[in-house]
Protein backbone atom coordinates (compact mmCIF):
# COMPACT_ATOMS: atom_id res chain seq x y z
CA UNK A 1 0.00 0.00 0.00
CA UNK A 2 1.06 3.56 -0.55
CA UNK A 3 0.62 5.48 2.67
CA UNK A 4 -0.16 9.16 2.67
CA UNK A 5 0.25 10.99 5.93
CA UNK A 6 -2.77 12.76 7.33
CA UNK A 7 -2.75 15.46 10.00
CA UNK A 8 -3.34 14.73 13.65
CA UNK A 9 -6.73 16.12 14.53
CA UNK A 10 -6.31 16.27 18.31
CA UNK A 11 -9.84 16.43 19.65
CA UNK A 12 -13.12 16.54 17.79
CA UNK A 13 -16.68 17.10 18.90
CA UNK A 14 -18.34 13.76 18.18
CA UNK A 15 -22.06 13.55 18.96
CA UNK A 16 -21.59 16.47 21.33
CA UNK A 17 -18.72 14.81 23.19
CA UNK A 18 -15.08 15.74 22.86
CA UNK A 19 -13.05 12.64 22.04
CA UNK A 20 -9.45 12.26 21.02
CA UNK A 21 -8.75 11.36 17.41
CA UNK A 22 -5.19 10.75 16.27
CA UNK A 23 -5.08 10.15 12.54
CA UNK A 24 -1.63 8.69 12.08
CA UNK A 25 -0.09 5.65 10.45
CA UNK A 26 2.00 3.45 12.74
CA UNK A 27 4.19 0.47 11.89
CA UNK A 28 2.87 0.38 8.33
CA UNK A 29 -0.75 -0.05 9.43
CA UNK A 30 -3.23 2.18 7.66
CA UNK A 31 -5.84 3.38 10.15
CA UNK A 32 -9.50 3.14 9.36
CA UNK A 33 -11.27 6.43 8.88
CA UNK A 34 -14.89 7.43 8.87
CA UNK A 35 -16.29 6.64 5.43
CA UNK A 36 -13.90 3.74 4.82
CA UNK A 37 -15.29 0.29 3.89
CA UNK A 38 -16.09 -1.89 6.92
CA UNK A 39 -14.44 -5.31 6.52
CA UNK A 40 -16.84 -8.18 7.20
CA UNK A 41 -14.52 -11.20 6.98
CA UNK A 42 -12.96 -10.59 10.44
CA UNK A 43 -16.36 -11.11 12.08
CA UNK A 44 -16.37 -14.78 11.04
CA UNK A 45 -13.29 -15.44 13.20
CA UNK A 46 -14.84 -14.09 16.39
CA UNK A 47 -15.55 -16.72 19.04
CA UNK A 48 -19.01 -17.46 20.39
CA UNK A 49 -18.57 -17.17 24.16
CA UNK A 50 -21.02 -20.01 24.77
CA UNK A 51 -19.07 -22.74 22.95
CA UNK A 52 -15.71 -21.10 22.17
CA UNK A 53 -16.10 -21.76 18.44
CA UNK A 54 -15.74 -19.21 15.62
CA UNK A 55 -19.14 -17.89 14.55
CA UNK A 56 -18.23 -18.44 10.88
CA UNK A 57 -19.88 -16.88 7.85
CA UNK A 58 -23.33 -17.84 9.03
CA UNK A 59 -22.85 -16.10 12.36
CA UNK A 60 -21.31 -13.11 10.62
CA UNK A 61 -24.44 -12.72 8.48
CA UNK A 62 -26.59 -12.73 11.61
CA UNK A 63 -24.49 -10.01 13.24
CA UNK A 64 -23.68 -7.75 10.28
CA UNK A 65 -26.88 -6.09 9.00
CA UNK A 66 -25.79 -5.47 5.41
CA UNK A 67 -24.63 -9.09 5.02
CA UNK A 68 -27.93 -10.55 6.16
CA UNK A 69 -30.79 -11.73 3.98
CA UNK A 70 -33.42 -9.39 5.42
CA UNK A 71 -33.54 -6.49 3.00
CA UNK A 72 -35.54 -4.36 5.43
CA UNK A 73 -32.68 -4.53 7.94
CA UNK A 74 -29.82 -4.18 5.48
CA UNK A 75 -29.61 -0.44 6.13
CA UNK A 76 -29.53 -0.98 9.88
CA UNK A 77 -26.38 -0.25 11.81
CA UNK A 78 -24.08 -1.97 14.28
CA UNK A 79 -22.30 -0.29 17.19
CA UNK A 80 -19.10 -2.20 18.04
CA UNK A 81 -17.30 -1.53 21.33
CA UNK A 82 -13.79 -2.98 21.54
CA UNK A 83 -11.08 -3.17 24.18
CA UNK A 84 -7.94 -5.30 23.71
CA UNK A 85 -6.96 -5.18 27.40
CA UNK A 86 -7.51 -8.54 29.14
CA UNK A 87 -10.13 -8.45 31.90
CA UNK A 88 -10.42 -4.71 31.31
CA UNK A 89 -12.01 -3.08 34.33
CA UNK A 90 -12.87 -0.06 32.20
CA UNK A 91 -14.69 -2.17 29.61
CA UNK A 92 -16.53 -4.17 32.27
CA UNK A 93 -17.62 -0.97 34.00
CA UNK A 94 -18.72 0.42 30.65
CA UNK A 95 -20.73 -2.70 29.83
CA UNK A 96 -22.62 -2.51 33.12
CA UNK A 97 -23.33 1.17 32.55
CA UNK A 98 -24.46 0.47 29.01
CA UNK A 99 -26.90 -2.26 30.03
CA UNK A 100 -28.29 0.04 32.71
CA UNK A 101 -28.70 2.93 30.29
CA UNK A 102 -29.95 1.51 27.00
CA UNK A 103 -33.23 -0.11 26.03
CA UNK A 104 -33.27 -3.73 24.91
CA UNK A 105 -33.86 -2.60 21.34
CA UNK A 106 -30.78 -0.37 21.43
CA UNK A 107 -28.66 -3.10 23.01
CA UNK A 108 -29.53 -5.38 20.09
CA UNK A 109 -27.57 -3.01 17.88
CA UNK A 110 -24.46 -3.21 20.08
CA UNK A 111 -21.67 -5.76 20.02
CA UNK A 112 -18.78 -5.89 22.48
CA UNK A 113 -15.53 -7.46 21.24
CA UNK A 114 -12.83 -8.24 23.80
CA UNK A 115 -9.86 -10.59 24.20
CA UNK A 116 -11.05 -12.48 27.28
CA UNK A 117 -11.62 -16.21 26.95
CA UNK A 118 -15.17 -17.42 26.39
CA UNK A 119 -15.17 -18.86 29.94
CA UNK A 120 -14.05 -15.53 31.42
CA UNK A 121 -16.80 -13.74 29.54
CA UNK A 122 -19.40 -16.23 30.74
CA UNK A 123 -18.29 -15.80 34.34
CA UNK A 124 -18.45 -12.03 34.06
CA UNK A 125 -21.93 -12.15 32.53
CA UNK A 126 -23.27 -14.59 35.09
CA UNK A 127 -21.98 -12.50 37.99
CA UNK A 128 -22.65 -9.00 36.69
CA UNK A 129 -25.23 -9.11 33.89
CA UNK A 130 -27.51 -12.09 34.60
CA UNK A 131 -30.00 -10.97 31.96
CA UNK A 132 -27.29 -11.48 29.36
CA UNK A 133 -25.95 -14.83 30.46
CA UNK A 134 -26.77 -17.22 27.65
CA UNK A 135 -23.22 -16.71 26.37
CA UNK A 136 -24.01 -16.49 22.68
CA UNK A 137 -24.10 -12.74 23.04
CA UNK A 138 -27.87 -12.53 23.11
CA UNK A 139 -30.55 -13.32 25.63
CA UNK A 140 -34.14 -12.50 26.20
CA UNK A 141 -34.13 -9.69 23.68
CA UNK A 142 -32.47 -7.25 26.08
CA UNK A 143 -28.87 -8.42 26.39
CA UNK A 144 -25.53 -7.03 25.41
CA UNK A 145 -23.87 -9.26 22.83
CA UNK A 146 -20.25 -10.18 23.46
CA UNK A 147 -17.76 -11.90 21.17
CA UNK A 148 -14.17 -12.96 21.79
CA UNK A 149 -11.23 -11.87 19.61
CA UNK A 150 -8.49 -13.93 21.26
CA UNK A 151 -5.88 -13.33 18.55
CA UNK A 152 -6.87 -9.68 18.09
CA UNK A 153 -7.40 -10.29 14.37
CA UNK A 154 -10.63 -8.28 14.26
CA UNK A 155 -8.99 -5.46 16.22
CA UNK A 156 -5.98 -5.40 13.91
CA UNK A 157 -8.20 -5.27 10.84
CA UNK A 158 -10.20 -2.40 12.34
CA UNK A 159 -7.06 -0.69 13.74
CA UNK A 160 -8.48 -0.82 17.27
CA UNK A 161 -5.20 -1.54 19.05
CA UNK A 162 -4.04 2.06 19.43
CA UNK A 163 -0.64 3.59 18.83
CA UNK A 164 0.78 4.04 22.31
CA UNK A 165 -1.63 2.25 24.60
CA UNK A 166 -4.63 -0.01 24.51
CA UNK A 167 -7.98 1.64 25.11
CA UNK A 168 -11.67 1.37 24.37
CA UNK A 169 -12.81 2.17 20.81
CA UNK A 170 -16.33 2.55 19.43
CA UNK A 171 -17.17 1.91 15.77
CA UNK A 172 -20.53 2.67 14.18
CA UNK A 173 -20.92 0.51 11.07
CA UNK A 174 -23.68 0.79 8.47
CA UNK A 175 -24.24 -0.29 4.90
CA UNK A 176 -20.73 -1.69 4.55
CA UNK A 177 -18.99 1.45 5.77
CA UNK A 178 -17.50 2.91 8.93
CA UNK A 179 -19.89 5.73 9.82
CA UNK A 180 -18.18 6.90 13.01
CA UNK A 181 -15.10 6.07 15.06
CA UNK A 182 -14.39 7.22 18.62
CA UNK A 183 -11.06 6.22 20.12
CA UNK A 184 -9.89 6.28 23.74
CA UNK A 185 -13.46 6.37 25.05
CA UNK A 186 -13.77 6.42 28.83
CA UNK A 187 -16.14 4.06 30.62
CA UNK A 188 -18.37 6.77 32.08
CA UNK A 189 -18.83 8.35 28.65
CA UNK A 190 -19.68 5.17 26.73
CA UNK A 191 -23.47 5.16 27.28
CA UNK A 192 -23.73 8.77 26.12
CA UNK A 193 -21.52 8.13 23.09
CA UNK A 194 -23.63 5.13 22.06
CA UNK A 195 -26.97 6.84 22.75
CA UNK A 196 -26.03 9.86 20.69
CA UNK A 197 -24.69 7.63 17.92
CA UNK A 198 -27.96 5.72 17.73
CA UNK A 199 -30.12 8.83 17.82
CA UNK A 200 -28.07 10.49 15.08
CA UNK A 201 -28.41 7.52 12.76
CA UNK A 202 -32.04 6.60 13.40
Amino acid sequence: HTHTSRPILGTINWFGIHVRVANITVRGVVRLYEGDPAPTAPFAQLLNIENGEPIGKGGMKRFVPWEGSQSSASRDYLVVITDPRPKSLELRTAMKRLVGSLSGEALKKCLVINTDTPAENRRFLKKNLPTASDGSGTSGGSSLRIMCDRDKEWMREYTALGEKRYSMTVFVLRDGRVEKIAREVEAEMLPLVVKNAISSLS
Side-chain angles (χ1 to χ4, degrees), residues 126-141:
K126 184 175 182 180
K127 182 177 180 180
N128 297 279
L129 302 173
T131 59
S133 60
D134 82 336
S136 64
T138 113
S139 78

Side-chain angles (χ1 to χ4, degrees), residues 21-197:
V21 178
N23 286 348
I24 54 180
T25 301
V26 177
R27 295 186 296 277
V29 177
V30 179
R31 296 197 79 176
L32 278 184
Y33 293 88
E34 293 177 2
D36 282 350
T40 54
F43 282 92
Q45 302 303 315
L46 295 174
L47 302 184
N48 182 315
I49 64 170
E50 176 64 25
N51 56 25
E53 295 294 323
I55 65 172
K57 287 186 177 181
M60 178 267 288
K61 289 182 178 180
R62 287 192 296 273
F63 274 93
V64 181
W66 61 91
E67 290 288 343
S69 58
Q70 297 180 346
S71 58
S72 62
S74 64
R75 284 277 301 162
D76 212 344
Y77 51 87
L78 180 65
V79 179
V80 182
I81 301 112
T82 71
D83 191 332
R85 296 170 291 189
K87 299 182 182 179
S88 169
L89 179 60
E90 192 160 9
L91 178 63
R92 291 180 173 189
T93 299
M95 284 193 284
K96 288 187 279 189
R97 287 174 181 254
L98 202 61
V99 169
S101 301
L102 296 186
S103 68
E105 198 60 36
L107 284 173
K108 287 180 182 178
K109 302 179 189 300
C110 296
L111 172 65
V112 172
I113 298 176
N114 63 27
T115 58
D116 296 341
T117 66
E120 286 166 346
N121 274 304
R122 289 196 304 270
R123 281 195 293 272
F124 168 76
L125 287 175
K126 184 175 182 180
K127 182 177 180 180
N128 297 279
L129 302 173
T131 59
S133 60
D134 82 336
S136 64
T138 113
S139 78
S142 63
S143 71
L144 185 62
R145 300 178 298 180
I146 301 175
M147 289 285 155
C148 172
D149 185 22
R150 287 293 288 163
D151 297 324
K152 303 186 184 73
E153 290 300 324
W154 191 100
M155 296 184 195
R156 285 192 190 91
E157 191 73 24
Y158 274 81
T159 61
L161 294 176
E163 280 78 32
K164 295 181 179 179
R165 67 182 185 92
Y166 285 170
S167 61
M168 196 156 37
T169 307
V170 178
F171 298 87
V172 181
L173 312 177
R174 182 168 65 173
D175 219 15
R177 296 207 167 269
V178 179
E179 289 275 352
K180 297 289 180 182
I181 304 174
R183 300 183 187 275
E184 298 188 26
V185 177
E186 296 178 357
E188 60 268 22
M189 298 303 295
L190 181 67
L192 186 58
V193 168
V194 173
K195 279 182 178 180
N196 289 344

